[in-house]
Amino acid sequence: MSYALATTLDQALALRAAGGWQVIAGGTDVYPAAVDHALTANLLDISAIDELIGISCNPTDWRIGALTSWSDVCKAQLPPLFDALKLAAKEVGSVQIQNAASVGGNLCNASPAADGVPPLLIADARVELQSTRGQRELPLSSFIRGNRETELADDELLTAIVIPRKTEQRRSHFVKLGARKYLVISIAMVAVRMDVNESGLIEDVAIAVGSCSAVAQRLSVLEAALLGRRVDSHITTLVSGERLLELSPIDDVRASAEYRNDAVQTPIVRALHACLSAQLCICRHNP
């Protein structure tokens, strides 16, 4: 086993191009997984690459550096679209984990229960991938292809998450369902983005669910059913079985697929209500 600490992106990409290196950042997934056995992989530590840390924006996009910690996300001054991501950030383990774990690492680990994925899916996030061969971008929905499987090539690094600014003022919310309130891997989790126009019609909605399939995903059928609907007491009745068929819940030690399929409806309804309440509050203060 070898260990290398890269301090620049160029150093890290050169080592990746040479092959044989497992990338670590905060190491909050790699080290716990090695409790019962010794680490044998060559570890490339990229945690000291300052250029991959921080959140910035330009006229069209927000950019979250891959090594930005979840604590940094919590502290950042961001528009309402990121409220769901901030709520998810507070669910990533303990405060100590949030200080060390990175947004990019959460995506590359590609767990079905990765807290950061649903809030980024509703934000239409893209991932920026770099190698010595060049740079490319992929939609996050295409980047994660299965449980612990991504489109990251052996010589690439995920360097940033890119989010379009066009929906940054949309309200968003995140709800996590687990066996206890804190320090828990989710049974189901939901992120919602929503906007209601002056006529009380839903003109924009995005709903993403995690921990209920091998890959977190958007619920396009439910989104289509809600779009254009008037906000009233009947809205949440649309959250029903036939509109959740895109999910393929998983069985694991935390819950059965059958339980997940039924239980996920509650966090969806709660997240929708939270977005609607925030939207109505804004309308009352801006007549």
Side-chain angles (χ1 to χ4, degrees):
M1 172 189 167
S2 297
Y3 171 85
L5 176 65
T7 56
T8 68
L9 180 58
D10 287 342
Q11 287 178 350
L13 293 180
L15 287 170
R16 284 289 276 172
W21 292 92
Q22 178 180 350
V23 178
I24 60 170
T28 56
D29 285 304
V30 172
Y31 294 133
V35 168
D36 297 324
H37 59 274
L39 287 168
T40 57
N42 296 326
L43 298 180
L44 170 57
D45 188 344
I46 63 171
S47 61
I49 303 178
D50 291 341
E51 60 196 288
L52 300 185
I53 301 173
I55 303 173
S56 60
C57 68
N58 59 42
T60 59
D61 299 299
W62 285 92
R63 190 175 188 276
I64 303 175
L67 296 182
T68 303
S69 72
W70 290 108
S71 293
D72 289 338
V73 171
C74 290
K75 297 171 186 175
Q77 296 297 312
L78 297 168
L81 177 63
F82 292 87
D83 287 351
L85 188 65
K86 287 190 168 191
L87 289 169
K90 295 176 182 178
E91 299 283 356
V92 182
S94 63
V95 172
Q96 293 92 333
I97 295 295
Q98 293 162 21
N99 288 340
S102 65
V103 180
N106 192 250
L107 303 187
C108 289
N109 190 49
S111 165
D115 294 305
V117 178
L120 290 170
L121 284 176
I122 65 165
D124 299 324
R126 310 186 303 274
V127 293
E128 177 188 279
L129 309 176
Q130 288 196 47
S131 70
T132 55
R133 296 176 287 110
Q135 178 179 303
R136 62 180 177 134
E137 283 190 5
L138 286 176
L140 176 59
S141 57
S142 300
F143 175 68
I144 301 176
R145 64 187 187 196
N147 183 7
R148 314 290 181 177
E149 297 180 1
T150 73
E151 291 290 338
L152 189 72
D154 291 341
D155 64 341
E156 286 182 317
L157 290 175
L158 191 158
T159 50
I161 298 91
V162 181
I163 297 169
R165 296 190 64 179
K166 62 183 180 181
T167 59
E168 66 179 14
Q169 294 305 320
R170 302 292 196 256
R171 313 310 299 183
S172 70
H173 198 72
F174 175 83
V175 177
K176 180 172 179 174
L177 173 65
R180 59 180 185 267
K181 188 169 178 62
Y182 299 109
L183 303 178
V184 64
I185 298 174
S186 64
I187 293 172
M189 55 184 163
V190 175
V192 170
R193 178 191 85 209
M194 181 178 285
D195 190 45
V196 178
N197 64 24
E198 294 178 355
S199 300
L201 302 178
I202 298 174
E203 65 176 18
D204 176 67
V205 62
I207 303 168
V209 173
S211 280
C212 286
S213 50
V215 180
Q217 59 184 299
R218 290 271 294 268
L219 299 185
S220 59
V221 175
L222 180 56
E223 291 173 1
L226 290 168
L227 196 62
R229 293 274 186 163
R230 183 168 299 281
V231 175
D232 56 31
S233 59
H234 300 294
I235 283 295
T236 53
T237 64
L238 296 173
V239 183
S240 58
E242 69 265 20
R243 296 184 182 90
L244 305 177
L245 292 178
E246 292 163 291
L247 297 177
S248 52
I250 55 177
D251 281 304
D252 62 19
V253 296
R254 286 176 290 280
S256 67
E258 182 180 8
Y259 177 81
R260 279 187 164 95
N261 197 55
D262 181 60
V264 71
Q265 298 180 46
T266 298
I268 292 174
V269 169
R270 288 177 179 172
L272 286 170
H273 274 308
C275 285
L276 288 171
S277 296
Q279 185 72 41
L280 291 173
C281 182
I282 291 174
C283 292
R284 285 196 294 268
H285 286 86
N286 298 282

